[in-house]
Amino acid sequence: TIGMVVIHKMGNIAAGTSTNGIKFKIPGRIGDSPIPGSGAYADDMVGAAAATGDGDILMRFVPSYQAVEYMRRGENPTTACEKVISRIQKYFPKFFGAVICANVTGSYGAACNKLSTFTQFQFMVYNPLKSEPTEEKVDCI
Amino acid sequence: FGQLPLILNTWPFKNATMAAWKMLAAGGSALDAVESGCATCEQQQCDGSVGFGGSPDESGETTLDAMIMDGTTMNVGAVGDLRRIKNAIGVARKVLEHTTHTLLAGEAATKFAESMGFINEDLSTNVSQALHSDWLARNCQPNYWKNVIPDSSKYCGPYKPPTILKRDGIAYKDPAHSYSHD
């Protein structure tokens, strides 16, 4: 799955997702990716977020919307992402998932749920401070 | 504080990031950039989890989900369970641009896509067919059924509900594959 957030230099924000879902799904199953607020969410007044992982769990928590709302309340992107992961962890400690967050100023962050097979999450960043798309990673919590 | 413009995407899909950046550099909007970045991943089948030829369902078919959201207008276009159309994010953009709906799904979404000029084509590949064949050979393991007969942890379907439902309390099974995800 790819989840993407773009903030234009004029402040316009867009977000999106594309995926072929999970392997061997029951036909008809739709994951979190095409659900606004779940797979991704954007609001020019605040920022945007996108999620990836087990969509059957993620969509129950509308994590991208929740991350944007945390940022609206003043949290920085990293903290907003971490709070979303923590919220899901309380109910599903072993869920597979990660979230990327960015605010309208161009600050960004990410968070993921730590599993034995998933300890770091890699994501891509490109802004004028970088000469090319740059891979970054965070330690899962 | 960061710098604008900003492209941020999940997983190390560098070509998608670059495509989005180039779109902005060419004068495109944030929406254009998201569409371009996601479409690049669909074409390049990013790690097998995006686009055609990946994640076959129980019947061996690849279906696609995509969504695009405009944070200025709060307009959204999305498709779920899209069948036989490769450019899912493109169809989602058409839902945003040419309808007042938010999410179209399944065969009807395919019909919508065709009406918008997208080509109806098979999304399976040798890779996805092999994945499916291997899964069948493993007695359809893993799968996402529970509380059915025959026992879904041992046998393939078709499944049906038992006469008496024994609630097992299982709300979540560990991911079937580390890299099978949305």
Side-chain angles (χ1 to χ4, degrees):
Chain A
T1 304
I2 182 170
M4 178 171 274
V5 167
V6 173
I7 307 182
H8 193 275
K9 63 184 177 184
M10 300 303 292
N12 302 103
I13 303 176
T17 60
S18 184
T19 185
N20 54 33
I22 53 175
K23 295 183 183 78
F24 317 123
K25 63 182 85 66
I26 298 170
R29 181 263 190 190
I30 294 172
D32 66 310
S33 296
I35 311 298
S38 190
Y41 197 70
D43 183 339
D44 278 9
M45 302 297 289
V46 180
T52 183
D54 182 346
D56 292 304
I57 297 301
L58 289 169
M59 70 163 69
R60 303 174 192 179
F61 296 87
V62 277
S64 297
Y65 173 81
Q66 187 65 54
V68 170
E69 290 309 301
Y70 281 134
M71 290 190 283
R72 193 189 307 276
R73 295 180 207 170
E75 299 289 4
N76 67 57
T78 298
T79 302
C81 278
E82 288 176 346
K83 281 192 165 186
V84 165
I85 294 297
S86 296
R87 179 178 282 221
I88 305 173
Q89 269 177 343
K90 290 174 185 171
Y91 296 89
F92 298 100
K94 294 182 178 179
F95 87 101
F96 177 63
V99 187
I100 56 172
C101 301
N103 68 22
V104 71
T105 69
S107 294
Y108 61 86
C112 49
N113 187 40
K114 188 175 183 180
L115 302 171
S116 60
T117 55
F118 183 55
T119 58
Q120 288 187 320
F121 174 60
Q122 298 156 294
F123 59 101
M124 296 299 303
V125 184
Y126 203 175
N127 66 20
L129 298 174
K130 304 175 189 302
S131 58
E132 62 177 7
T134 304
E135 182 180 322
E136 297 193 13
K137 57 189 174 185
V138 290
D139 292 326
C140 296
I141 58 176
Chain B
F1 285 89
Q3 290 275 324
L4 298 179
L6 171 71
I7 313 286
L8 194 63
N9 64 263
T10 57
W11 307 109
F13 301 147
K14 185 176 183 178
N15 292 344
T17 322
M18 181 59 85
W21 185 264
K22 285 181 176 177
M23 180 57 74
L24 288 183
S29 67
L31 275 178
D32 295 332
V34 167
E35 182 181 358
S36 178
C38 290
T40 297
C41 250
E42 290 172 351
Q43 292 157 9
Q44 300 183 356
Q45 302 169 286
C46 286
D47 86 354
S49 71
V50 186
F52 67 99
S55 304
D57 66 16
E58 287 192 341
S59 63
E61 183 173 6
T62 295
T63 61
L64 305 179
D65 299 341
M67 185 261 289
I68 188 164
M69 179 168 187
D70 182 345
T72 305
T73 62
M74 307 307 277
N75 196 2
V76 175
V79 288
D81 190 28
L82 180 68
R83 295 160 183 270
R84 302 184 306 281
I85 304 287
K86 283 185 176 177
N87 183 200
I89 192 72
V91 181
R93 182 74 184 271
K94 296 296 187 191
V95 173
L96 184 151
E97 300 282 3
H98 299 291
T99 81
T100 57
H101 292 318
T102 298
L103 170 62
L104 300 182
E107 289 290 349
T110 302
K111 282 187 177 178
F112 169 80
E114 289 179 292
S115 75
M116 291 288 112
F118 292 86
I119 299 170
N120 186 324
E121 55 191 324
D122 187 5
L123 300 189
S124 68
T125 62
N126 291 340
V127 171
S128 65
Q129 289 172 346
L131 278 170
H132 185 245
S133 297
D134 290 346
W135 178 76
L136 289 174
R138 292 196 310 270
N139 289 328
C140 307
Q141 303 301 314
N143 62 61
Y144 297 92
W145 294 86
K146 66 174 187 178
N147 299 327
V148 290
I149 52 173
D151 183 348
S152 60
S153 68
K154 296 176 181 172
Y155 306 106
C156 293
Y159 306 107
K160 60 182 181 180
T163 308
I164 300 173
L165 179 60
K166 293 181 181 178
R167 297 198 180 277
D168 60 11
I170 295 174
Y172 181 64
K173 285 199 266 186
D174 287 347
H177 302 279
S178 297
Y179 289 99
S180 179
H181 58 76
D182 297 283

